[in-house]
C-alpha cells in the first residue's frame, strides 16, 4: 500500500511541487533534526511511547525488589530476552504504520529528503528503545537502595552499561521492522525480525562466537555487566560459563561494534530503498 502511494505520479508530482514552492519562498529544507522532532511529536502521546514504557514495567516490578537484602537480576534477563524484542517490534511497527495510514503525507510534507525522514524514524525508534531500557534501569536502581550494600557508584554504572548494551544489541530490529512493515505489511514487519531475534536468543550456544551475532549478543553480552546467565539463572549456578562469556573484553566491545554497524548499515540500505521508491 505504501509503495503504491509513493510510486504514484500524483504523489511524486505533489512532492516536487511542495519542494519547489519551499525553494521559491526561500524556506529552508527540513533537516534530520527537524524530521526527528516531527517523529517525536507524532508519537510522544501515542501508542509507540506507551508501548515502550508499559512493556518495560512488568518484569522489573516483579523482580527488582531485594529479598533478604540481595537483588536478583533474573527478571532483567527475561526483559531483554523476551519483552524487549516484542516491545521493539510493536512500537517500530506503530511508527511505520502511522505514516502508511495517512498516505505518507506527514513524511512528504516535511520537505526533507525521504532518506533523511527514514533515518529520523529509525533514530526515534532507537530513542524509544533506550527509554524502555532506562525505565528498567530506574526500577532496579530504586530497588538497589533497599539492598544490604545500598546504592553504589559501581553498581549504578554497571546497570546503566547493561541498559545501553540492551539498546544497542536489539537495534538491528528497528530498520528491519520498518522496511518490512513498509514493503511487505505490518504482520511481516512485526513477526519476521522478532522470530529471528528470539531464535538467536535461545540458540546462542550453537553459534561459535555469539557476541558477534546481534540476535545472540542480546543475551550473551549482558553477562559481562549483571550477574545472570543467558538461561536466566544466577551467575553462581555456573561461574565457569559466566566467566567465559564475560571474560573476553575484546569480544564484548567487538560485539557492540558489530551491533552498532548492523543498525547503521541496515538503516542506510533501507533508507536508500525508501528514497528510490519515490523516484520510480
Amino acid at each position: 500500500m505504501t509503495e503504491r502511494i509513493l510510486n504514484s505520479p500524483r504523489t511524486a508530482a505533489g512532492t516536487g511541487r511542495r519542494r519547489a514552492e519551499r525553494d521559491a519562498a526561500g524556506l529552508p529544507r527540513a533537516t534530520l533534526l527537524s524530521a526527528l522532532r516531527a517523529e517525536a511529536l507524532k508519537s510522544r502521546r501515542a501508542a509507540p511511547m506507551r508501548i515502550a514504557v508499559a512493556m518495560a514495567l512488568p518484569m522489573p516490578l516483579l523482580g527488582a525488589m531485594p529479598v533478604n537484602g540481595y537483588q536478583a537480576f533474573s527478571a532483567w534477563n527475561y526483559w531483554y530476552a523476551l519483552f524487549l524484542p516484542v516491545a521493539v517490534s510493536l512500537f517500530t511497527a506503530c511508527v511505520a504504520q502511522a505514516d502508511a495510514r495517512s498516505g505518507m503525507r506527514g513524511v512528504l510534507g516535511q520537505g526533507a529528503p525521504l532518506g533523511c525522514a527514514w533515518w529520523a524514524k529509525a533514530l526515534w525508534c532507537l530513542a524509544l528503545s533506550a527509554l524502555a531500557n532506562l525505565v528498567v534501569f530506574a526500577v532496579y536502581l530504586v530497588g538497589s537502595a533497599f539492598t544490604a550494600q545500598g546504592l553504589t557508584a559501581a553498581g549504578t554504572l554497571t546497570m546503566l552499561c547493561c541498559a545501553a548494551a540492551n539498546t544497542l544489541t536489539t537495534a538491528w530490529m528497528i530498520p528491519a521492522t520498518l522496511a518490512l512493515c513498509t514493503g511487505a505489511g505490518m504482520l511481516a514487519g512485526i513477526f519476521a525480525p522478532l522470530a529471528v531475534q528470539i531464535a538467536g536468543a535461545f540458540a546462542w550456544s550453537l553459534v561459535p562466537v555469539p557476541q558477534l551475532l546481534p540476535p545472540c549478543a542480546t543475551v550473551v553480552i549482558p553477562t559481562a555487566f549483571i550477574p545472570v546467565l543467558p538461561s536466566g539463572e544466577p551467575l553462581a549456578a555456573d561461574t565457569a560459563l559466566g566467566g567465559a562469556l564475560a571474560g573476553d573484553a575484546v569480544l564484548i566491545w567487538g560485539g557492540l561494534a558489530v551491533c552498532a554497524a548492523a543498525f547503521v548499515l541496515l538503516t542506510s540500505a533501507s533508507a536508500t530503498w525508501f528514497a528510490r521508491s519515490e523516484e520510480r
Side-chain angles (χ1 to χ4, degrees), residues 120-184:
K121 288 181 181 298
L123 290 175
W124 173 242
C125 291
L126 187 64
L128 291 175
S129 179
L131 171 65
N133 282 290
L134 285 175
V135 169
V136 176
F137 161 75
V139 175
Y140 264 89
L141 186 64
V142 171
S144 67
F146 298 93
T147 61
Q149 63 181 7
L151 286 173
T152 65
T156 300
L157 180 60
T158 297
M159 292 191 295
L160 188 60
C161 287
C162 184
N166 293 158
T167 302
L168 197 54
T169 53
T170 54
W172 75 271
M173 296 179 63
I174 292 171
T177 301
L178 285 173
L180 286 171
C181 282
T182 303

Side-chain angles (χ1 to χ4, degrees), residues 19 25 30 40 47-48 61 84 94 111 120 125 128 136 139 144 186 211-212 223 225 233 261 264 271:
R19 289 177 179 171
L61 287 178
L84 177 57
C94 288
C125 291
L128 291 175
V136 176
V139 175
S144 67
M186 192 168 186
Q211 293 91 337
L212 302 183
T223 305
F225 303 106
E233 297 175 297
V264 172

Side-chain angles (χ1 to χ4, degrees), residues 55 77-87 194 198 202:
M55 290 290 291
N77 172 275
Y78 298 137
W79 152 250
Y80 60 68
L82 295 173
F83 279 67
L84 177 57
V86 173
L194 180 60
I198 292 180
F202 282 94

Side-chain angles (χ1 to χ4, degrees), residues 27 33 82 99 101 113 116 121 124 133 163 172 183 201 203 209 226 231 233 237 261 264-265 268:
L27 297 174
L33 184 60
L82 295 173
D99 284 315
R101 285 198 304 268
C116 178
K121 288 181 181 298
W124 173 242
N133 282 290
W172 75 271
V209 190
I226 59 175
S231 61
E233 297 175 297
V264 172
L265 291 174
S268 297

Side-chain angles (χ1 to χ4, degrees), residues 6 11 16 44 68 81 92 107 110 128 134 165 196 203 210 214 220 222 261 271 278:
L6 288 172
T11 299
R44 67 179 180 179
N68 298 324
T92 304
V107 172
Q110 291 173 10
L128 291 175
L134 285 175
V196 173
V220 173
E278 180 197 7

